[in-house]
Amino acid sequence: MARVILSLVVLSTCICCLPAARDNKGTEFILTFLENLQRDRHNPKLFIACPHQSGATVTINTPSNGASTTVQVTYGQVKKVDVDRVAVELRGSVKSDKAVHVTSDVEIVVYGVFAESMSTDAFLALPTDVLGTEYFTPCASIRGYMPAEFGVVGVHDGTTVNIVPSQAVTFDGQNYAAGQAFSVGLSRFETLQIQATEDLTGSKIMATQPVAVLSGNMFTACGLPGSGDHVVGMIPPVDTWGKEFVTVPLTKHTAGDIFRVIAARDNTHVNITNENTKTLNAAEFSELDVPSDEYRHVASNKPILLVQYSKTGSIDQTETDPFMMVIPPVAQFEAEYTFATVDLISDQADTTHYVNLIIRSSNKAGLLLDGHRLPSDTVWHDVTGTDFAAAQVEISAGTHTVRHLSPNVNIGLFSYGFTYPESYGYPGGLRLSRIAASCSTTTPVPADRVDNDCDGRVDEELLNGIDDDGDGLIDEDLANSNCAGNRDQYRTCLQNRCRNLVP
């Protein structure tokens, strides 16, 4: 008994000393806003959600004009904060100082929302503790009218950013050919934006210290000529990319969705349902036009980035419009989400909001939306060749939570919405474990967001003396049980959680 008590004390001590989990929640964010074609004088916004019952005190600074504001964020609500457009929007292919600095006393979720008339998109912000030094950009000029673009934000003073554009660009008045490397020095809160009329997908960014990267297009149709939108996403660093993905079509569209697969390493083999194997070298990408009734599995031998694009509503005469959404790999799915919808400008009364959900088929029954089981009429679609199932669920405007009864069951969640001619889309959240970095085995601590056993998965075991993931090891990479860390008590704890469920 003394040994058990000592083990629990050691485990508790380890948990208390853990750094913040590697995911999209954080206490510091440094970001910016890429240029939006529409100039109807609408300010960009930050949408801030707090997953803590106690709420959060959040301070937003815009260094370029010295403005600062502090707000209180209440649990279960979205706090919307305008930021001055002139102070935060990047313009042209130049270096500037248009950063936004967000700090909080507890972990929060932050979205950047650039809602303009007929030109809206939003992105899930990534906190500074998960940013990296290597990126490849997934821009969008798919039948676009306006420049593809990407932006970089300095997080630390004395950072050198090395850029290899995939197309010819002009930056700060200097011309650079496709593939010609050049360097830019950034201090903390300094920014740069690069634009080109040709597609900048596959441009490489290497920095001497972590930076934030956003990528997209000033205004694009994403399909046949028709209505367009500003599209943008905040891009995860290469060391968090994965090797397995599931694609889910977007509600309302009938003419399919566009997906792009981007490689970070040479000789990357990509296998996709209903497609021939594709071999990509570093910075190369493959584009897919996936029908609206197909759910596909994507697997590779080396880390890749997957991005989904909503097409113009003109292509299938639907009340939709373009947006860009980073698709997290299966290994970076979360066990619990707090996320928010976006208010669109053109017709808020006619705006509809959705989530796409992905989960292993055997775990569907334990899924909870806002503490309740999913509606009984939810339609699940099996993903061919896998044990995953996916569903599209309409949700109300506001803040929502999704979780599973079991803490080691992970869920893919993508949030998006439409009103003609505007839209938005982003992942509801994701882990940002360094699953693509070199790995060495480490001592398991519950919910540390570390691949303790170097199997490409994170926190997949329960502390229960059972081989939950079937790899021959027991309790080697632990999820957060939300229960006592004692194997003998775990079953009783889990049963009590089930009894207390909201029906």
Side-chain angles (χ1 to χ4, degrees), residues 118-136:
M118 300 181 290
S119 185
T120 296
D121 202 4
F123 60 87
L124 177 70
L126 306 182
T128 55
D129 62 350
V130 300
L131 300 177
T133 58
E134 182 184 16
Y135 296 84
F136 289 88

Side-chain angles (χ1 to χ4, degrees), residues 74-88:
T74 304
Y75 174 79
Q77 297 181 353
V78 180
K79 186 68 176 181
K80 303 169 187 178
V81 182
D82 277 33
V83 287
D84 181 67
R85 182 168 185 165
V86 174
V88 302

Side-chain angles (χ1 to χ4, degrees), residues 59-69 84 86-88 97-99 189:
T59 300
I60 301 99
N61 294 298
T62 50
S64 68
N65 64 359
S68 179
T69 183
D84 181 67
V86 174
V88 302
D97 60 348
K98 301 296 184 71
F189 304 139

Side-chain angles (χ1 to χ4, degrees), residues 394-464:
E394 186 170 354
I395 58 174
S396 60
T399 303
H400 298 274
T401 61
V402 168
R403 67 179 180 88
H404 195 274
L405 289 175
S406 177
N408 73 330
V409 172
N410 297 326
I411 310 147
L413 188 150
F414 311 97
S415 174
Y416 58 101
F418 298 113
T419 189
Y420 187 79
E422 291 178 49
S423 63
Y424 73 91
Y426 41 66
L430 73 162
R431 294 178 178 179
L432 288 137
S433 301
R434 300 180 69 244
I435 58 176
S438 58
C439 183
S440 57
T441 57
T442 53
T443 302
V445 176
D448 60 359
R449 297 298 196 272
V450 174
D451 182 9
N452 302 116
D453 56 347
C454 297
D455 66 351
R457 293 173 290 184
V458 176
D459 299 349
E460 70 272 16
E461 288 271 339
L462 298 174
L463 185 62
N464 57 4

Side-chain angles (χ1 to χ4, degrees), residues 234-246:
M234 194 163 184
I235 311 306
V238 169
D239 62 9
T240 67
W241 291 12
K243 300 178 183 178
E244 183 183 20
F245 302 78
V246 172

Side-chain angles (χ1 to χ4, degrees), residues 96-109:
S96 56
D97 60 348
K98 301 296 184 71
V100 183
H101 186 213
V102 182
T103 56
S104 173
D105 60 339
V106 297
E107 287 197 330
I108 53 175
V109 179

Side-chain angles (χ1 to χ4, degrees), residues 359 363-368 373 403-406:
I359 196 169
N363 295 321
K364 291 184 296 187
L367 198 56
L368 303 176
R373 297 184 187 276
R403 67 179 180 88
H404 195 274
L405 289 175
S406 177

Side-chain angles (χ1 to χ4, degrees), residues 459-462 466-469 473-479:
D459 299 349
E460 70 272 16
E461 288 271 339
L462 298 174
I466 298 173
D467 178 14
D468 296 295
D469 60 353
L473 302 174
I474 295 174
D475 301 345
E476 79 281 4
D477 200 346
L478 297 172

